[in-house]
Amino acid sequence: MREFGLAVAALAVALQCASAQAPVPPPPSSRLKIDFAAPPQDHVVEFSPDKTRASLNPIRFTFRGWVYAPEGLSMTSPDANKFPPEERRLRDALAAAKKQGIIAIVPFWSPAEQAGVKKTVSEPNVNAGMTSFLRSVENSIFLGKVLYGPYSIMLVQHIGESLPASQAPARYTLKKVGDQYYLTDDLSADPVFMYLTEKYVRQLVAQITGQQP
């Protein structure tokens, strides 16, 4: 049961509908403008821990990676095959799951986690819910990539006519195993990862897109 619960939690973090308003990037441009050959940059985001107490100093969060502001990178872009390998891998995983059902995402998870993920997504309710969500997505846009040790944390905005305006950005974690990138739940108990993804992802995306959280 614990293994089942962890796997469900991992997938729910990636594919979730949030109730609070989340910033949505502007429509992506038709041509690619990002120089992927450029090295990752340090990005600083400041957060106020308690907006009702102005005397508190803000939290300064620095990460190394890329932000694809302001338009983001559309997975349907004609230049999508020029994306870095992590972005292409995640695009292929989501495309397979959308076309064949969520069970098709299992081979895109790290080999050590595939058995647990397969058990989770084979549950009828989980399978139906996640497959339905993915098929309601009309486009997905990469907002940024956070480098965290050997991991790449991808921030993705899913867009669809039937999705609520408050649809929160999804967070996917990938790691390299051999010569390939795989989805992973390795960071599910990491305090820094949880701090970023559960508390402040909206503020981070708001700063990336130039909108208010």
Side-chain angles (χ1 to χ4, degrees), residues 5-211:
L6 287 175
V8 169
L11 290 169
V13 164
L15 302 174
Q16 66 170 319
C17 292
S19 58
Q21 183 67 33
V24 177
S29 59
S30 59
R31 304 308 299 175
L32 192 62
K33 298 179 181 178
I34 304 296
D35 179 12
F36 294 119
Q41 301 294 315
D42 287 335
H43 301 274
V44 178
V45 182
E46 288 191 348
F47 308 110
S48 295
D50 187 341
K51 292 182 178 180
T52 65
R53 298 177 62 185
S55 62
L56 293 178
N57 292 325
I59 298 168
R60 178 166 291 182
F61 175 74
T62 302
F63 70 91
R64 174 152 288 194
W66 291 264
V67 293
Y68 304 132
E71 299 96 349
L73 298 179
S74 169
M75 292 189 187
T76 61
S77 166
D79 293 308
N81 287 331
K82 299 178 182 178
F83 290 177
E86 301 102 306
E87 282 82 347
R88 297 199 309 270
R89 180 68 167 173
L90 181 54
R91 176 203 61 182
D92 293 346
L94 295 176
K98 182 174 183 177
K99 182 178 181 180
Q100 304 171 40
I102 193 64
I103 192 71
I105 209 169
V106 172
F108 292 90
W109 279 72
S110 70
E113 298 172 82
Q114 288 182 11
V117 172
K118 183 177 181 179
K119 180 180 178 181
T120 298
V121 299
S122 296
E123 291 288 326
N125 291 340
V126 174
N127 188 301
M130 292 186 173
T131 298
S132 175
F133 171 79
L134 283 173
R135 288 178 175 168
S136 70
V137 174
E138 298 170 12
N139 192 12
S140 297
I141 298 175
F142 292 106
L143 301 178
K145 176 166 61 178
V146 178
L147 300 181
Y148 185 50
Y151 303 99
S152 295
I153 302 170
M154 319 296 293
L155 302 179
V156 177
Q157 183 72 53
H158 295 302
I159 298 173
E161 185 176 346
S162 63
L163 297 179
S166 59
Q167 178 68 36
R171 290 84 72 194
Y172 301 89
T173 303
L174 288 88
K175 69 176 179 180
K176 197 170 187 180
V177 180
D179 295 328
Q180 187 58 275
Y181 286 94
Y182 292 93
L183 291 162
T184 181
D185 188 32
D186 282 357
L187 300 181
S188 62
D190 183 274
V192 175
F193 174 76
M194 299 303 290
Y195 182 80
L196 168 65
T197 60
E198 289 194 357
K199 292 181 180 291
Y200 294 118
V201 70
R202 289 178 183 80
Q203 289 92 325
L204 174 60
V205 172
Q207 184 159 325
I208 290 173
T209 60
Q211 299 182 38

